[in-house]
Amino acid sequence: MKKIEAIIRKSKFSTVKSALHEVGVNFFSYWDVTGLGNEQEGHVYRGVSYSTSDIQRRFLSIVVNDSFEEITVKTIIESAGTGEVGDGKIFVSDIKEAYRIRTGEKGGETLN
């Protein structure tokens, strides 16, 4: 099993969520995060300059069976990308085991 963590633009969340559902990734957790990144430019609104060094993003945490890793990563890249600095990052790590609390069963079947 793999844990896929993605930090994406908040504006792309609905698109990414729909794309993941289309490929069969129907369960994941997400939350709003603030971080620092490579975006260096500020924004000017009505003559006032605002710093964008603190970047608002959405963090996705997805656990999938090994066979879903490639399609999940590909789907996030295609649906979250704009081609601009600040599109985000994806991290993939191994998951040793998963347990379903209700039944006590373990393994990849718990992800269904």
Side-chain angles (χ1 to χ4, degrees), residues 25-102:
V25 178
N26 295 311
F27 177 80
F28 59 88
S29 300
Y30 66 91
W31 51 95
D32 293 333
V33 295
T34 302
L36 301 173
N38 291 329
E39 287 185 279
Q40 299 297 323
E41 55 189 70
H43 293 288
V44 177
Y45 178 72
R46 294 188 178 181
V48 178
S49 180
Y50 294 91
S51 171
T52 58
S53 60
D54 293 336
I55 304 166
Q56 300 293 313
R57 294 289 183 256
R58 188 140 293 162
F59 186 96
L60 311 177
S61 179
I62 309 164
V63 178
V64 297
N65 285 310
D66 290 340
S67 60
F68 264 82
E69 176 189 355
E70 187 176 331
I71 189 65
T72 303
V73 170
K74 180 181 176 196
T75 299
I76 295 169
I77 290 171
E78 290 175 354
S79 59
T82 66
E84 301 293 323
V85 172
D87 278 348
K89 298 275 192 279
I90 298 173
F91 307 97
V92 178
S93 55
D94 291 320
I95 295 293
K96 182 177 174 184
E97 194 62 83
Y99 295 86
R100 187 182 313 266
I101 294 172
R102 179 176 48 90

